[in-house]
Amino acid sequence: MSTRGLLVALALATSGVAACGDDGRALAPAPSTTTSTAPAATTSELTTMRLASVEIAEGATIDPRLTCDGANEPPRLVITGAPPSAAELAVAMVDLDAEGYVHWVVSGLPAGTDVIDPASLPDAATVARASSGVIGWDGPCPPPDDPPHRYELRAYALPEPSGIVAGEDGTEAVATLEALAIERATLTATYR
């Protein structure tokens, strides 16, 4: 075969392979550029819940008027970024340095609540019993010889109503909230 004939045969063979590259096996699809087959989350679902207060700043000392040394007033709280799937919001305050001593639990807050004013809680809200036996806010009051205690305010987003009833034991109420929460935000401050 001449060189020209060899080149023509090679060209035909190459084009035949390119055109008829089907040997009966299915080719795998090209890899996808997405990492999930789940629907993309909306912007509101990507937000992170936050908890803030005018009276209590993250890492700061709690104002004495919120404690047993003052008027023992509960703080006003602001919750932002609660997930749209939340059915209920709740808040609690726990002393991290006193084996989880519960100072406050409020549940049954409507999912759209963004400001919690303890002086005017919504009708659906329920208030549990603090570790001291007080129903409602029991402000920080660590022993005078202790170093500063850390107090954690918590906001919970729940996928369903918590079922917590008024006057329920605060420790049990917090355990229920921890078990049900789909999202949680905290604010920690100290008091001595």
Side-chain angles (χ1 to χ4, degrees):
M1 182 183 270
S2 69
T3 307
R4 181 182 164 125
L6 186 57
L7 289 175
V8 169
L10 185 57
L12 289 173
T14 306
S15 66
V17 169
C20 301
D22 184 3
D23 64 0
R25 293 180 288 172
L27 295 174
S32 173
T33 56
T34 60
T35 57
S36 171
T37 57
T42 64
T43 303
S44 62
E45 291 171 329
L46 296 175
T47 59
T48 301
M49 192 164 75
R50 294 199 178 286
L51 177 63
S53 173
V54 173
E55 293 95 353
I56 301 174
E58 177 66 37
T61 300
I62 296 173
D63 186 326
R65 74 182 166 79
L66 305 176
T67 74
C68 65
D69 293 325
N72 205 28
E73 299 173 1
R76 288 168 297 164
L77 302 174
V78 176
I79 298 173
T80 57
S85 57
E88 178 183 319
L89 300 179
V91 293
M93 188 173 86
V94 175
D95 184 338
L96 299 176
D97 296 307
E99 300 176 5
Y101 186 101
V102 176
H103 286 268
W104 193 38
V105 179
V106 178
S107 60
L109 298 167
T113 302
D114 54 359
V115 176
I116 301 167
D117 182 352
S120 60
L121 291 173
D123 291 340
T126 57
V127 182
R129 185 170 21 96
S131 294
S132 65
V134 170
I135 296 177
W137 174 261
D138 181 30
C141 196
D145 295 334
D146 277 12
H149 282 214
R150 293 168 300 142
Y151 296 90
E152 187 173 75
L153 281 154
R154 301 171 182 172
Y156 299 94
L158 310 173
E160 59 192 50
S162 66
I164 295 170
V165 296
E168 183 172 330
D169 176 76
T171 301
E172 291 174 10
V174 168
T176 297
L177 297 174
E178 290 287 336
L180 290 176
I182 53 174
E183 195 161 343
R184 185 178 181 265
T186 62
L187 172 63
T188 306
T190 62
Y191 190 70
R192 180 176 188 183

